[in-house]
Amino acid sequence: MEKNKKPNVSNASRLAVAPMMDWTDRHCRYLHRLLSRNTLLYTEMVTAPALVRGGALHLLDFSPQEHPVALQLGGSDPAELAEAARIGAQAGYDEINLNVGCPSDRVQSGAFGAVLMLEPGLVAECVAAMREAVEVEVTVKCRIGVDDQDPDTCLPAFLERMRDAGCRRITIHARKAWLQGLSPKENRDIPPLDYDLVRRMKQAFPDLHLSINGGITSLGQARSFLEQGLDGVMIGRAAYHDPASILCAADPLIFGQGDASDPVAAVGAMLPYIDAHLGSGGKLHQVTRHMLGLFAGRPGARAWRRLLSEGAHRPGAGSALVQEALAMVAPLPSDREAV
C-alpha cells in the first residue's frame, strides 16, 4: 500500500478474515497479507480493560504492511470502550470493531461478547461513545440471537438500534449463541446456520453494510453471497487452516484486482520477517504455527507440516528450517516462476 494512503476499509470488507482468539495474531496477519493485498484482516479480540486499566499496549503491535487491519475490542462500559477505541485509533488501526458475538464463559463473566445481544440499548451506548471518540469507522460483529431469543424479532431490533447509534457496518454470524449448555467450540458448529435470515436483513436494511459469517469454506461461497446482495463475507477457520485456497485468489476473484498470489512466493517473503522476529528475541514456532496449512492438499504438505511442527520448537531453529520444509513440497508449474 502506498505510504500515507488511507485504505478503503469498506471495500476491503468484501472479504475479511474473522478475528479468532489465539490465531489471528500479528504473525498470522502478516502471512495473510502476503497472500491477499485487499482482504480485511482483524486482530484477536482485545479487551478494553486490558488496554485502559492494564496498560497492555503490546497487544496492539502490528506491522505497517498489515493494512487494511481492524482492531476488535471486547467490553461493555461505554467510557472504557471509548478510551480503548481512542488508543486503538492512535495506534493506527483502520477500523474499531465491537465484539457482540463471542460466547465464551470468560467473556460472559466480563459482561461482554454475545451476552450483550440481550442488551441492545447498552451496545448502542457503547457504539455511540466509541464513534464520538474516534474518526475511524466503528463496526459491530454479532450473532443472530442468543438462547431463547427469536432471531426474526431480536436481530432486526438489534440492527435498528445499531443504525440509530450511527453504526453503518455490521458483520452477522448466522448462528445463535447458546450461553448455557454449549461450549465455545460447540457454539461454532451446533447451532444451525440461518443464512436466509441474514439475506432478509439486507433487504430490510438496504442502507446498512452487512457482512455474513459462519460456516463459509470457499471463495465460491463468498462470491455467491456477494452476488445475492450481501456487502461482505467473513471467513474464519477455513482461512486459517487452508489460507492459500481462500486468500491466494481473493484479489482477482473478489476484488477484481491483480493476479492470484503464490504460497511459495509468500514463504520466501516470510523469511526476512522470520529472521527479524528471531533477531528481536522471538521464537520460530510463534510464526510458523500459522503457516502449517499453507500447502494443504498438495503433495508434500504432510512433510511440510511435520518438519515445522517438530522442528520449530528446537533451540536454534530458524529460517533454514522453513526452507528445508519448503523443499519437501512438490512444485507446481506456477511455482517455478515464483521462485
Side-chain angles (χ1 to χ4, degrees):
M1 180 171 296
E2 296 178 24
K3 190 175 181 180
N4 299 325
K5 183 178 180 181
K6 191 173 182 179
N8 185 336
V9 186
S10 182
N11 182 66
S13 66
R14 284 175 59 81
L15 182 68
V17 177
M20 293 175 283
M21 293 297 292
D22 300 322
W23 289 3
T24 50
D25 64 16
R26 61 179 304 183
H27 308 307
C28 173
R29 298 192 304 267
Y30 192 92
L31 170 66
H32 287 179
R33 179 57 68 222
L34 290 173
L35 300 177
S36 170
R37 294 177 59 193
N38 296 286
T39 299
L40 180 59
L41 305 179
Y42 280 82
T43 67
E44 305 168 84
M45 183 185 67
V46 177
T47 68
L51 295 179
V52 177
R53 287 182 255 159
L57 300 185
H58 66 280
L59 297 174
L60 301 182
D61 290 344
F62 71 97
S63 302
Q65 294 89 339
E66 293 175 36
H67 292 290
V69 59
L71 168 65
Q72 186 182 69
L73 292 175
S76 59
D77 179 86
E80 194 165 55
L81 278 166
E83 179 60 21
R86 188 179 298 110
I87 294 170
Q90 289 174 346
Y93 283 94
D94 303 305
E95 169 194 330
I96 309 295
N97 177 265
L98 179 60
N99 183 321
V100 192
C102 181
S104 78
D105 295 338
R106 183 174 53 181
V107 168
Q108 289 182 54
S109 66
F112 53 92
V115 70
L116 287 176
M117 292 294 296
L118 299 169
E119 299 187 65
L122 176 57
V123 179
E125 290 181 38
C126 292
V127 167
M130 294 164 71
R131 291 189 66 250
E132 183 69 23
V134 299
E135 293 184 2
V136 298
E137 189 171 10
V138 174
T139 67
V140 168
K141 185 173 187 290
C142 68
R143 293 276 184 143
I144 61 174
V146 297
D147 295 340
D148 293 322
Q149 284 184 320
D150 177 9
D152 288 299
T153 301
C154 74
L155 184 58
F158 181 85
L159 295 180
E160 189 168 347
R161 294 299 292 267
M162 296 308 99
R163 181 173 62 185
D164 291 345
C167 179
R168 287 293 180 269
R169 185 151 56 84
I170 300 165
T171 299
I172 304 171
H173 186 151
R175 284 188 175 95
K176 265 190 177 186
W178 286 95
L179 305 179
Q180 304 295 327
L182 291 181
S183 70
K185 182 179 185 300
E186 290 170 332
N187 262 298
R188 293 194 294 266
D189 297 301
I190 293 177
L193 288 158
D194 193 345
Y195 293 146
D196 188 56
L197 174 61
V198 181
R199 284 188 286 257
R200 295 201 306 273
M201 291 304 97
K202 179 57 190 176
Q203 295 171 356
F205 296 89
D207 55 320
L208 292 182
H209 184 293
L210 297 184
S211 294
I212 192 166
N213 171 234
I216 302 165
T217 59
S218 71
L219 276 186
Q221 279 182 285
R223 291 184 67 184
S224 177
F225 281 122
L226 294 171
E227 290 166 358
Q228 292 166 28
L230 287 162
D231 301 296
V233 178
M234 179 178 280
I235 302 180
R237 284 168 289 168
Y240 184 87
H241 292 300
D242 188 2
S245 72
I246 301 297
L247 296 175
C248 282
D251 289 352
L253 294 184
I254 301 297
F255 299 96
Q257 295 183 17
D259 300 318
S261 64
D262 189 284
V264 172
V267 173
M270 286 297 294
L271 297 179
Y273 178 87
I274 288 170
D275 289 338
H277 177 64
L278 297 178
S280 65
K283 305 297 183 183
L284 180 62
H285 69 87
Q286 294 171 323
V287 179
T288 56
R289 71 187 185 97
H290 304 298
M291 302 170 67
L292 298 180
L294 197 51
F295 297 103
R298 279 179 59 162
R302 182 176 298 179
W304 159 266
R305 291 194 304 270
R306 186 184 69 252
L307 262 64
L308 292 184
S309 297
E310 296 176 356
H313 291 269
R314 293 172 182 163
S319 57
L321 177 68
V322 180
Q323 293 174 296
E324 180 185 350
L326 183 60
M328 306 299 293
V329 179
L332 298 178
S334 59
D335 295 340
R336 299 187 180 96
E337 300 174 4
V339 174

